[in-house]
Amino acid sequence: MRRPRSFPILIPLTALAFAAVHLTFEHFTVGVPSHHMLNRPDLPAISNWFGLVTLPLLGVVLGLRVRALHAPRSWAGVPIPVLAAILGALVYGGAMGASFSLGAESITTAAFLGLFVCGIVLPVYRIEYILGFVAGMSVTFGGVLPLPVALVVATISFVVRYIIFKLMGAIRKKKVESG
């Protein structure tokens, strides 16, 4: 009987440490900000402190996914492709947050639209992409506001990729039947 793989606790702990270090820095410099939804003051504000909950929870979900994978190559128990996805999404989210903070709205808009292109090319509905993106944007927007954006893009990515792969399968099947 095959022994179940252990849970990679390092993932949620790293997410917690990332959030804690960032929030500690904010606390002792400018104070921990709150962000209004849709950047409208008449809507409720969400504190960056919630990142201490959302990022580790995303880490737990990723840990459950990693435990289910059986990849031969890994680093610290995390498969290399999963690490690459996290890092890529982290950089992308960080770049979006930085461009917003620097007032480069055209770059932020282009990057946002680029998310949908990335969603067609890459399976951004996987938790590793979501965690990386939210962590990257959390420095600018906290750990909560990027999550709905990531979930909307992930849902669209899943649906579009599902339709594309179903169509491709139907076309292949027709070719085989007619060939």
Side-chain angles (χ1 to χ4, degrees):
M1 191 164 135
R2 192 174 186 144
R3 211 175 105 215
R5 291 177 47 150
S6 62
F7 181 80
I9 192 70
L10 189 60
I11 296 171
L13 287 179
T14 302
L16 178 63
F18 176 80
V21 166
H22 172 250
L23 290 168
T24 301
F25 176 78
E26 280 186 339
H27 178 72
F28 288 113
T29 55
V30 295
V32 178
S34 294
H35 304 278
H36 291 279
M37 293 189 298
L38 302 175
N39 205 20
R40 290 181 41 190
D42 59 323
L43 292 176
I46 299 172
S47 173
N48 280 8
W49 285 113
F50 283 108
L52 287 172
V53 175
T54 58
L55 289 174
L57 281 177
L58 290 171
V60 167
V61 174
L62 178 59
L64 293 171
R65 173 168 157 66
V66 165
R67 186 175 70 177
L69 295 175
H70 298 288
R73 294 185 50 206
S74 66
W75 183 77
V78 181
I80 300 297
V82 171
L83 285 173
I86 294 169
L87 184 61
L90 179 79
V91 169
Y92 198 99
M96 270 186 74
S99 67
F100 181 84
S101 293
L102 296 172
E105 292 175 15
S106 59
I107 293 173
T108 307
T109 302
F112 178 73
L113 295 174
L115 279 173
F116 296 101
V117 174
C118 290
I120 294 169
V121 176
L122 299 168
V124 298
Y125 53 84
R126 292 185 181 158
I127 187 64
E128 53 265 34
Y129 290 98
I130 295 170
L131 173 60
F133 181 76
V134 172
M137 290 198 72
S138 70
V139 174
T140 303
F141 297 106
V144 176
L145 291 181
L147 188 55
V149 173
L151 293 176
V152 166
V153 172
T155 302
I156 292 170
S157 172
F158 180 80
V159 170
V160 168
R161 287 175 60 89
Y162 180 82
I163 291 169
I164 288 172
F165 284 114
K166 282 294 185 182
L167 287 173
M168 289 173 57
I171 291 169
R172 277 196 202 121
K173 186 176 177 182
K174 277 229 189 265
K175 276 187 174 181
V176 169
E177 288 174 355
S178 64

